[in-house]
PDB file of all heavy atoms in Angstrom:
ATOM      1  N   LEU N   1       0.819  -1.216   0.000  1.00 98.00           N
ATOM      2  CA  LEU N   1       0.000   0.000   0.000  1.00 98.00           C
ATOM      3  C   LEU N   1       0.854   1.268   0.000  1.00 98.00           C
ATOM      4  O   LEU N   1       0.333   2.360  -0.257  1.00 98.00           O
ATOM      5  CB  LEU N   1      -0.926   0.006   1.222  1.00 98.00           C
ATOM      6  CG  LEU N   1      -1.926  -1.148   1.317  1.00 98.00           C
ATOM      7  CD1 LEU N   1      -2.681  -1.089   2.648  1.00 98.00           C
ATOM      8  CD2 LEU N   1      -2.905  -1.113   0.159  1.00 98.00           C
ATOM      9  N   GLU N   2       2.131   1.119   0.353  1.00 97.00           N
ATOM     10  CA  GLU N   2       3.071   2.251   0.399  1.00 97.00           C
ATOM     11  C   GLU N   2       2.551   3.365   1.305  1.00 97.00           C
ATOM     12  O   GLU N   2       2.572   4.543   0.945  1.00 97.00           O
ATOM     13  CB  GLU N   2       3.373   2.763  -1.008  1.00 97.00           C
ATOM     14  CG  GLU N   2       4.047   1.729  -1.880  1.00 97.00           C
ATOM     15  CD  GLU N   2       4.484   2.260  -3.233  1.00 97.00           C
ATOM     16  OE1 GLU N   2       4.160   3.437  -3.556  1.00 97.00           O
ATOM     17  OE2 GLU N   2       5.150   1.515  -3.976  1.00 97.00           O
ATOM     18  N   GLU N   3       2.092   2.962   2.497  1.00 97.00           N
ATOM     19  CA  GLU N   3       1.619   3.899   3.525  1.00 97.00           C
ATOM     20  C   GLU N   3       2.573   3.884   4.706  1.00 97.00           C
ATOM     21  O   GLU N   3       3.346   2.938   4.884  1.00 97.00           O
ATOM     22  CB  GLU N   3       0.222   3.483   4.021  1.00 97.00           C
ATOM     23  CG  GLU N   3      -0.860   3.525   2.961  1.00 97.00           C
ATOM     24  CD  GLU N   3      -2.149   2.887   3.460  1.00 97.00           C
ATOM     25  OE1 GLU N   3      -2.120   2.119   4.435  1.00 97.00           O
ATOM     26  OE2 GLU N   3      -3.197   3.158   2.836  1.00 97.00           O
ATOM     27  N   ALA N   4       2.478   4.915   5.520  1.00 98.00           N
ATOM     28  CA  ALA N   4       3.175   4.897   6.812  1.00 98.00           C
ATOM     29  C   ALA N   4       2.517   3.824   7.681  1.00 98.00           C
ATOM     30  O   ALA N   4       1.327   3.894   7.973  1.00 98.00           O
ATOM     31  CB  ALA N   4       3.089   6.254   7.477  1.00 98.00           C
ATOM     32  N   LEU N   5       3.281   2.812   8.043  1.00 98.00           N
ATOM     33  CA  LEU N   5       2.789   1.671   8.808  1.00 98.00           C
ATOM     34  C   LEU N   5       3.685   1.458  10.015  1.00 98.00           C
ATOM     35  O   LEU N   5       4.917   1.422   9.881  1.00 98.00           O
ATOM     36  CB  LEU N   5       2.778   0.415   7.926  1.00 98.00           C
ATOM     37  CG  LEU N   5       2.579  -0.937   8.622  1.00 98.00           C
ATOM     38  CD1 LEU N   5       1.207  -1.022   9.271  1.00 98.00           C
ATOM     39  CD2 LEU N   5       2.783  -2.087   7.628  1.00 98.00           C
ATOM     40  N   VAL N   6       3.065   1.316  11.182  1.00 99.00           N
ATOM     41  CA  VAL N   6       3.787   1.010  12.413  1.00 99.00           C
ATOM     42  C   VAL N   6       3.186  -0.261  13.004  1.00 99.00           C
ATOM     43  O   VAL N   6       1.987  -0.317  13.280  1.00 99.00           O
ATOM     44  CB  VAL N   6       3.677   2.164  13.439  1.00 99.00           C
ATOM     45  CG1 VAL N   6       4.425   1.814  14.722  1.00 99.00           C
ATOM     46  CG2 VAL N   6       4.202   3.470  12.846  1.00 99.00           C
ATOM     47  N   ILE N   7       4.019  -1.285  13.169  1.00 99.00           N
ATOM     48  CA  ILE N   7       3.598  -2.519  13.837  1.00 99.00           C
ATOM     49  C   ILE N   7       4.222  -2.501  15.219  1.00 99.00           C
ATOM     50  O   ILE N   7       5.436  -2.692  15.364  1.00 99.00           O
ATOM     51  CB  ILE N   7       4.018  -3.772  13.054  1.00 99.00           C
ATOM     52  CG1 ILE N   7       3.585  -3.676  11.593  1.00 99.00           C
ATOM     53  CG2 ILE N   7       3.418  -5.015  13.705  1.00 99.00           C
ATOM     54  CD1 ILE N   7       4.081  -4.839  10.745  1.00 99.00           C
ATOM     55  N   ALA N   8       3.394  -2.250  16.217  1.00 99.00           N
ATOM     56  CA  ALA N   8       3.883  -1.987  17.571  1.00 99.00           C
ATOM     57  C   ALA N   8       3.328  -3.023  18.533  1.00 99.00           C
ATOM     58  O   ALA N   8       2.152  -3.382  18.456  1.00 99.00           O
ATOM     59  CB  ALA N   8       3.461  -0.584  18.018  1.00 99.00           C
ATOM     60  N   GLY N   9       4.172  -3.477  19.447  1.00 98.00           N
ATOM     61  CA  GLY N   9       3.617  -4.387  20.433  1.00 98.00           C
ATOM     62  C   GLY N   9       4.646  -5.187  21.190  1.00 98.00           C
ATOM     63  O   GLY N   9       5.852  -4.970  21.105  1.00 98.00           O
ATOM     64  N   ASP N  10       4.105  -6.135  21.954  1.00 98.00           N
ATOM     65  CA  ASP N  10       4.901  -7.120  22.675  1.00 98.00           C
ATOM     66  C   ASP N  10       5.109  -8.292  21.728  1.00 98.00           C
ATOM     67  O   ASP N  10       4.215  -9.096  21.523  1.00 98.00           O
ATOM     68  CB  ASP N  10       4.167  -7.545  23.955  1.00 98.00           C
ATOM     69  CG  ASP N  10       4.895  -8.644  24.707  1.00 98.00           C
ATOM     70  OD1 ASP N  10       5.969  -9.084  24.245  1.00 98.00           O
ATOM     71  OD2 ASP N  10       4.383  -9.073  25.756  1.00 98.00           O
ATOM     72  N   TYR N  11       6.297  -8.372  21.154  1.00 98.00           N
ATOM     73  CA  TYR N  11       6.612  -9.405  20.175  1.00 98.00           C
ATOM     74  C   TYR N  11       7.027 -10.724  20.826  1.00 98.00           C
ATOM     75  O   TYR N  11       7.105 -11.742  20.146  1.00 98.00           O
ATOM     76  CB  TYR N  11       7.730  -8.932  19.256  1.00 98.00           C
ATOM     77  CG  TYR N  11       7.310  -7.994  18.154  1.00 98.00           C
ATOM     78  CD1 TYR N  11       6.909  -6.688  18.416  1.00 98.00           C
ATOM     79  CD2 TYR N  11       7.327  -8.405  16.827  1.00 98.00           C
ATOM     80  CE1 TYR N  11       6.544  -5.822  17.400  1.00 98.00           C
ATOM     81  CE2 TYR N  11       6.973  -7.547  15.796  1.00 98.00           C
ATOM     82  CZ  TYR N  11       6.578  -6.255  16.092  1.00 98.00           C
ATOM     83  OH  TYR N  11       6.212  -5.397  15.074  1.00 98.00           O
ATOM     84  N   ASN N  12       7.330 -10.687  22.125  1.00 98.00           N
ATOM     85  CA  ASN N  12       7.856 -11.879  22.792  1.00 98.00           C
ATOM     86  C   ASN N  12       9.028 -12.466  22.017  1.00 98.00           C
ATOM     87  O   ASN N  12       9.148 -13.676  21.845  1.00 98.00           O
ATOM     88  CB  ASN N  12       6.748 -12.921  23.011  1.00 98.00           C
ATOM     89  CG  ASN N  12       6.021 -12.708  24.331  1.00 98.00           C
ATOM     90  OD1 ASN N  12       6.635 -12.484  25.368  1.00 98.00           O
ATOM     91  ND2 ASN N  12       4.691 -12.762  24.285  1.00 98.00           N
ATOM     92  N   VAL N  13       9.895 -11.586  21.546  1.00 98.00           N
ATOM     93  CA  VAL N  13      11.110 -11.962  20.821  1.00 98.00           C
ATOM     94  C   VAL N  13      12.278 -11.166  21.400  1.00 98.00           C
ATOM     95  O   VAL N  13      12.210  -9.930  21.468  1.00 98.00           O
ATOM     96  CB  VAL N  13      10.998 -11.665  19.314  1.00 98.00           C
ATOM     97  CG1 VAL N  13      12.329 -11.963  18.614  1.00 98.00           C
ATOM     98  CG2 VAL N  13       9.868 -12.455  18.674  1.00 98.00           C
ATOM     99  N   ILE N  14      13.328 -11.866  21.814  1.00 98.00           N
ATOM    100  CA  ILE N  14      14.607 -11.251  22.166  1.00 98.00           C
ATOM    101  C   ILE N  14      15.461 -11.331  20.905  1.00 98.00           C
ATOM    102  O   ILE N  14      15.971 -12.398  20.571  1.00 98.00           O
ATOM    103  CB  ILE N  14      15.288 -11.997  23.325  1.00 98.00           C
ATOM    104  CG1 ILE N  14      14.379 -12.051  24.556  1.00 98.00           C
ATOM    105  CG2 ILE N  14      16.626 -11.345  23.671  1.00 98.00           C
ATOM    106  CD1 ILE N  14      14.889 -12.973  25.663  1.00 98.00           C
ATOM    107  N   PRO N  15      15.614 -10.236  20.162  1.00 98.00           N
ATOM    108  CA  PRO N  15      16.230 -10.342  18.831  1.00 98.00           C
ATOM    109  C   PRO N  15      17.689 -10.796  18.853  1.00 98.00           C
ATOM    110  O   PRO N  15      18.102 -11.598  18.015  1.00 98.00           O
ATOM    111  CB  PRO N  15      16.096  -8.918  18.270  1.00 98.00           C
ATOM    112  CG  PRO N  15      14.963  -8.308  19.021  1.00 98.00           C
ATOM    113  CD  PRO N  15      15.066  -8.895  20.403  1.00 98.00           C
ATOM    114  N   GLU N  16      18.472 -10.267  19.788  1.00 98.00           N
ATOM    115  CA  GLU N  16      19.910 -10.536  19.804  1.00 98.00           C
ATOM    116  C   GLU N  16      20.381 -10.731  21.252  1.00 98.00           C
ATOM    117  O   GLU N  16      19.712 -10.283  22.185  1.00 98.00           O
ATOM    118  CB  GLU N  16      20.684  -9.369  19.175  1.00 98.00           C
ATOM    119  CG  GLU N  16      20.308  -9.050  17.736  1.00 98.00           C
ATOM    120  CD  GLU N  16      20.701 -10.150  16.762  1.00 98.00           C
ATOM    121  OE1 GLU N  16      21.569 -10.976  17.117  1.00 98.00           O
ATOM    122  OE2 GLU N  16      20.145 -10.181  15.641  1.00 98.00           O
ATOM    123  N   PRO N  17      21.549 -11.362  21.459  1.00 98.00           N
ATOM    124  CA  PRO N  17      22.060 -11.527  22.823  1.00 98.00           C
ATOM    125  C   PRO N  17      22.165 -10.216  23.599  1.00 98.00           C
ATOM    126  O   PRO N  17      21.935 -10.192  24.818  1.00 98.00           O
ATOM    127  CB  PRO N  17      23.439 -12.164  22.606  1.00 98.00           C
ATOM    128  CG  PRO N  17      23.288 -12.931  21.324  1.00 98.00           C
ATOM    129  CD  PRO N  17      22.380 -12.088  20.469  1.00 98.00           C
ATOM    130  N   ILE N  18      22.468  -9.129  22.912  1.00 98.00           N
ATOM    131  CA  ILE N  18      22.583  -7.830  23.589  1.00 98.00           C
ATOM    132  C   ILE N  18      21.261  -7.377  24.203  1.00 98.00           C
ATOM    133  O   ILE N  18      21.231  -6.536  25.101  1.00 98.00           O
ATOM    134  CB  ILE N  18      23.117  -6.756  22.606  1.00 98.00           C
ATOM    135  CG1 ILE N  18      23.595  -5.516  23.357  1.00 98.00           C
ATOM    136  CG2 ILE N  18      22.063  -6.403  21.567  1.00 98.00           C
ATOM    137  CD1 ILE N  18      24.226  -4.466  22.463  1.00 98.00           C
ATOM    138  N   ASP N  19      20.152  -7.983  23.749  1.00 98.00           N
ATOM    139  CA  ASP N  19      18.829  -7.581  24.216  1.00 98.00           C
ATOM    140  C   ASP N  19      18.396  -8.309  25.485  1.00 98.00           C
ATOM    141  O   ASP N  19      17.228  -8.217  25.887  1.00 98.00           O
ATOM    142  CB  ASP N  19      17.804  -7.796  23.108  1.00 98.00           C
ATOM    143  CG  ASP N  19      18.076  -6.905  21.905  1.00 98.00           C
ATOM    144  OD1 ASP N  19      18.281  -5.695  22.096  1.00 98.00           O
ATOM    145  OD2 ASP N  19      18.109  -7.427  20.774  1.00 98.00           O
ATOM    146  N   ALA N  20      19.317  -9.002  26.133  1.00 98.00           N
ATOM    147  CA  ALA N  20      19.064  -9.644  27.428  1.00 98.00           C
ATOM    148  C   ALA N  20      20.254  -9.390  28.335  1.00 98.00           C
ATOM    149  O   ALA N  20      21.402  -9.433  27.888  1.00 98.00           O
ATOM    150  CB  ALA N  20      18.835 -11.140  27.270  1.00 98.00           C
ATOM    151  N   ARG N  21      19.988  -9.145  29.608  1.00 97.00           N
ATOM    152  CA  ARG N  21      21.087  -8.925  30.554  1.00 97.00           C
ATOM    153  C   ARG N  21      21.908 -10.202  30.706  1.00 97.00           C
ATOM    154  O   ARG N  21      23.133 -10.160  30.805  1.00 97.00           O
ATOM    155  CB  ARG N  21      20.507  -8.484  31.904  1.00 97.00           C
ATOM    156  CG  ARG N  21      21.563  -8.159  32.968  1.00 97.00           C
ATOM    157  CD  ARG N  21      22.317  -6.899  32.620  1.00 97.00           C
ATOM    158  NE  ARG N  21      23.380  -6.586  33.551  1.00 97.00           N
ATOM    159  CZ  ARG N  21      23.200  -5.901  34.682  1.00 97.00           C
ATOM    160  NH1 ARG N  21      21.989  -5.469  35.022  1.00 97.00           N
ATOM    161  NH2 ARG N  21      24.214  -5.648  35.468  1.00 97.00           N
ATOM    162  N   HIS N  22      21.214 -11.338  30.737  1.00 97.00           N
ATOM    163  CA  HIS N  22      21.887 -12.631  30.850  1.00 97.00           C
ATOM    164  C   HIS N  22      21.359 -13.558  29.754  1.00 97.00           C
ATOM    165  O   HIS N  22      20.501 -14.408  30.011  1.00 97.00           O
ATOM    166  CB  HIS N  22      21.647 -13.242  32.231  1.00 97.00           C
ATOM    167  CG  HIS N  22      22.193 -12.435  33.359  1.00 97.00           C
ATOM    168  ND1 HIS N  22      23.555 -12.268  33.564  1.00 97.00           N
ATOM    169  CD2 HIS N  22      21.580 -11.735  34.355  1.00 97.00           C
ATOM    170  CE1 HIS N  22      23.756 -11.506  34.626  1.00 97.00           C
ATOM    171  NE2 HIS N  22      22.577 -11.171  35.115  1.00 97.00           N
ATOM    172  N   PRO N  23      21.837 -13.402  28.528  1.00 98.00           N
ATOM    173  CA  PRO N  23      21.283 -14.196  27.423  1.00 98.00           C
ATOM    174  C   PRO N  23      21.405 -15.697  27.640  1.00 98.00           C
ATOM    175  O   PRO N  23      20.555 -16.456  27.154  1.00 98.00           O
ATOM    176  CB  PRO N  23      22.088 -13.726  26.211  1.00 98.00           C
ATOM    177  CG  PRO N  23      23.298 -13.041  26.760  1.00 98.00           C
ATOM    178  CD  PRO N  23      22.896 -12.483  28.066  1.00 98.00           C
ATOM    179  N   GLU N  24      22.389 -16.122  28.382  1.00 98.00           N
ATOM    180  CA  GLU N  24      22.551 -17.555  28.618  1.00 98.00           C
ATOM    181  C   GLU N  24      21.375 -18.150  29.383  1.00 98.00           C
ATOM    182  O   GLU N  24      21.094 -19.357  29.270  1.00 98.00           O
ATOM    183  CB  GLU N  24      23.856 -17.823  29.388  1.00 98.00           C
ATOM    184  CG  GLU N  24      23.894 -17.288  30.808  1.00 98.00           C
ATOM    185  CD  GLU N  24      24.287 -15.812  30.930  1.00 98.00           C
ATOM    186  OE1 GLU N  24      24.364 -15.123  29.883  1.00 98.00           O
ATOM    187  OE2 GLU N  24      24.502 -15.347  32.068  1.00 98.00           O
ATOM    188  N   ASN N  25      20.648 -17.317  30.133  1.00 97.00           N
ATOM    189  CA  ASN N  25      19.497 -17.804  30.889  1.00 97.00           C
ATOM    190  C   ASN N  25      18.266 -18.034  30.011  1.00 97.00           C
ATOM    191  O   ASN N  25      17.267 -18.590  30.473  1.00 97.00           O
ATOM    192  CB  ASN N  25      19.136 -16.825  32.001  1.00 97.00           C
ATOM    193  CG  ASN N  25      20.200 -16.729  33.077  1.00 97.00           C
ATOM    194  OD1 ASN N  25      21.071 -17.599  33.173  1.00 97.00           O
ATOM    195  ND2 ASN N  25      20.150 -15.682  33.883  1.00 97.00           N
ATOM    196  N   TRP N  26      18.332 -17.611  28.754  1.00 98.00           N
ATOM    197  CA  TRP N  26      17.167 -17.676  27.868  1.00 98.00           C
ATOM    198  C   TRP N  26      17.327 -18.691  26.740  1.00 98.00           C
ATOM    199  O   TRP N  26      16.485 -18.764  25.848  1.00 98.00           O
ATOM    200  CB  TRP N  26      16.901 -16.283  27.287  1.00 98.00           C
ATOM    201  CG  TRP N  26      16.540 -15.294  28.349  1.00 98.00           C
ATOM    202  CD1 TRP N  26      17.395 -14.513  29.075  1.00 98.00           C
ATOM    203  CD2 TRP N  26      15.235 -15.011  28.844  1.00 98.00           C
ATOM    204  NE1 TRP N  26      16.702 -13.756  29.983  1.00 98.00           N
ATOM    205  CE2 TRP N  26      15.359 -14.041  29.869  1.00 98.00           C
ATOM    206  CE3 TRP N  26      13.960 -15.478  28.515  1.00 98.00           C
ATOM    207  CZ2 TRP N  26      14.277 -13.530  30.561  1.00 98.00           C
ATOM    208  CZ3 TRP N  26      12.871 -14.969  29.202  1.00 98.00           C
ATOM    209  CH2 TRP N  26      13.033 -14.007  30.208  1.00 98.00           C
ATOM    210  N   LEU N  27      18.371 -19.486  26.794  1.00 97.00           N
ATOM    211  CA  LEU N  27      18.665 -20.401  25.693  1.00 97.00           C
ATOM    212  C   LEU N  27      17.570 -21.430  25.483  1.00 97.00           C
ATOM    213  O   LEU N  27      17.355 -21.880  24.360  1.00 97.00           O
ATOM    214  CB  LEU N  27      20.011 -21.095  25.941  1.00 97.00           C
ATOM    215  CG  LEU N  27      21.238 -20.176  25.904  1.00 97.00           C
ATOM    216  CD1 LEU N  27      22.501 -20.965  26.244  1.00 97.00           C
ATOM    217  CD2 LEU N  27      21.375 -19.507  24.542  1.00 97.00           C
ATOM    218  N   GLY N  28      16.871 -21.832  26.537  1.00 97.00           N
ATOM    219  CA  GLY N  28      15.799 -22.807  26.412  1.00 97.00           C
ATOM    220  C   GLY N  28      14.422 -22.200  26.320  1.00 97.00           C
ATOM    221  O   GLY N  28      13.417 -22.915  26.397  1.00 97.00           O
ATOM    222  N   ASP N  29      14.357 -20.889  26.156  1.00 98.00           N
ATOM    223  CA  ASP N  29      13.081 -20.172  26.161  1.00 98.00           C
ATOM    224  C   ASP N  29      12.630 -19.877  24.735  1.00 98.00           C
ATOM    225  O   ASP N  29      13.442 -19.581  23.858  1.00 98.00           O
ATOM    226  CB  ASP N  29      13.236 -18.865  26.950  1.00 98.00           C
ATOM    227  CG  ASP N  29      11.911 -18.237  27.328  1.00 98.00           C
ATOM    228  OD1 ASP N  29      11.286 -17.610  26.454  1.00 98.00           O
ATOM    229  OD2 ASP N  29      11.492 -18.375  28.486  1.00 98.00           O
ATOM    230  N   ALA N  30      11.304 -19.901  24.515  1.00 98.00           N
ATOM    231  CA  ALA N  30      10.755 -19.656  23.186  1.00 98.00           C
ATOM    232  C   ALA N  30      11.080 -18.260  22.669  1.00 98.00           C
ATOM    233  O   ALA N  30      11.148 -18.043  21.452  1.00 98.00           O
ATOM    234  CB  ALA N  30       9.240 -19.861  23.203  1.00 98.00           C
ATOM    235  N   LEU N  31      11.288 -17.298  23.558  1.00 98.00           N
ATOM    236  CA  LEU N  31      11.562 -15.924  23.146  1.00 98.00           C
ATOM    237  C   LEU N  31      12.913 -15.777  22.458  1.00 98.00           C
ATOM    238  O   LEU N  31      13.134 -14.802  21.726  1.00 98.00           O
ATOM    239  CB  LEU N  31      11.510 -14.982  24.350  1.00 98.00           C
ATOM    240  CG  LEU N  31      10.142 -14.527  24.851  1.00 98.00           C
ATOM    241  CD1 LEU N  31       9.302 -15.683  25.346  1.00 98.00           C
ATOM    242  CD2 LEU N  31      10.293 -13.484  25.950  1.00 98.00           C
TER     243      LEU N  31
END
């Protein structure tokens, strides 16, 4: 549609290791 679009919310996704204080604690988590 080539419109201004914002998809905002709780994605329940930790995108990268930097996005967790202790990424090793989340290795078995769906996020």
Side-chain angles (χ1 to χ4, degrees):
L1 299 174
E2 298 186 354
E3 297 171 341
L5 167 64
V6 179
I7 309 175
D10 176 0
Y11 281 70
N12 272 315
V13 175
I14 303 170
E16 301 293 341
I18 195 176
D19 296 311
R21 183 69 183 274
H22 298 292
E24 66 276 10
N25 293 344
W26 296 89
L27 294 177
D29 195 282
L31 280 63

